[in-house]
Amino acid sequence: MRVMDSFVIAFSTYSRIPMPHAEWSQENRRYAMCFFPLVGAAVGLLLWGWLALCDALGAGPVLRGAAGALIPLLVTGGIHMDGLMDTCDALASWQTPERRLEILKDTHVGAFAVMACAGYLLLTAGLLSEADARTGWLLAPCFVLSRAMSAAALTVMKSARPGGMLDGFARAAHRRAVCMSSGAYAMLCITLWFALGGPVLAAACVLAAALCALGFARMAQRQFGGITGDLAGWLVQAAELCLVAVIIMGGMLQ
């Protein structure tokens, strides 16, 4: 196994950042999910750079928030937003778990998916319109932790759709390595929040992440019978939005 190949596989799968060729062998895929949160680090750094540029140019809140909300989509190609939209369509159907899984696979976009995407982007843009470069350092870990949570869920939750893309990664993944790396990313994020924002902010972010994880596990198991790639994308988006809201709104209360 070459570490660089695992890194390339993670970025090739979950981002649109150009990567060199890597051999998609079983051994290389075992550790690919260990590097998944680093895609979030790239998103966070680009968002911070954008906010710093807005500060330097004196850009208004509308441009600051609108472009900031698009940065994650540009980096990832919308792979996680697609999961959010499909999941919202499936949940809104009020069908059986089996039928919900079929809706997740449907390539058509329903009304609830469109409303969820539009609402998500509007809320994200509104929150980021209140952010500056200093806040950007606090926001960057949100994109890392959300992906660490998704990778951890992959290793501990039952797959609802054997044979799917996520199930393929789950079967190939080195579960202990993924769990340990996810925990390390989480500790790093908490440490950064503690150092840059203080203990109250760090505790609030931990609580928000924990509630997201518990709510997701309950929803995925009851509504779908386990986790899928779309549901993992829903978790990434939900955790990001919750953490960004906690940091932005928390800053307003200080």
Side-chain angles (χ1 to χ4, degrees), residues 64-137:
R64 179 186 300 259
L70 292 177
I71 288 175
L73 294 182
L74 294 175
V75 175
T76 64
I79 185 173
H80 307 304
M81 182 61 74
D82 177 72
L84 173 77
M85 295 172 68
D86 288 342
T87 301
C88 288
D89 260 346
L91 289 172
S93 70
W94 296 99
Q95 299 293 319
T96 63
E98 293 75 18
R99 176 56 183 151
R100 291 192 186 101
L101 289 174
E102 293 177 5
I103 294 174
L104 290 181
K105 295 173 62 178
D106 193 341
T107 57
H108 296 86
V109 177
F112 292 100
V114 175
M115 289 188 288
C117 180
Y120 187 100
L121 291 176
L122 281 172
L123 184 54
T124 302
L127 290 168
L128 293 180
S129 70
E130 304 290 339
D132 55 18
R134 179 186 174 278
T135 311
W137 284 117

Side-chain angles (χ1 to χ4, degrees), residues 5-28:
D5 282 341
S6 296
F7 175 89
V8 169
I9 289 173
F11 271 72
S12 297
T13 304
Y14 294 107
S15 82
R16 289 298 177 265
I17 299 174
M19 286 284 127
H21 173 75
E23 181 183 355
W24 281 61
S25 65
Q26 185 82 359
E27 183 67 16
N28 290 336

Side-chain angles (χ1 to χ4, degrees), residues 193-208:
W193 282 322
F194 186 90
L196 300 175
V200 175
L201 176 68
C205 289
V206 170
L207 178 60

Side-chain angles (χ1 to χ4, degrees), residues 118-208:
Y120 187 100
L121 291 176
L122 281 172
L123 184 54
T124 302
L127 290 168
L128 293 180
S129 70
E130 304 290 339
D132 55 18
R134 179 186 174 278
T135 311
W137 284 117
L138 298 173
L139 296 176
C142 300
F143 303 94
V144 177
L145 182 58
S146 64
R147 285 161 177 79
M149 292 167 60
S150 183
L154 164 68
T155 65
V156 300
M157 292 186 65
K158 169 190 171 185
S159 175
R161 186 188 296 140
M165 186 185 88
L166 187 68
D167 186 56
F169 267 99
R171 285 185 284 105
H174 190 296
R175 295 178 181 270
R176 183 178 178 184
V178 174
C179 284
M180 290 181 64
S181 64
S182 296
Y185 286 119
M187 290 304 300
L188 176 60
C189 292
I190 295 169
T191 301
L192 288 173
W193 282 322
F194 186 90
L196 300 175
V200 175
L201 176 68
C205 289
V206 170
L207 178 60

Side-chain angles (χ1 to χ4, degrees), residues 1-11 22 27-33 35:
M1 186 275 295
R2 292 191 301 172
V3 172
M4 190 60 191
D5 282 341
S6 296
F7 175 89
V8 169
I9 289 173
F11 271 72
E27 183 67 16
N28 290 336
R29 290 172 61 197
R30 293 184 71 196
Y31 298 93
M33 291 303 293
F35 297 97

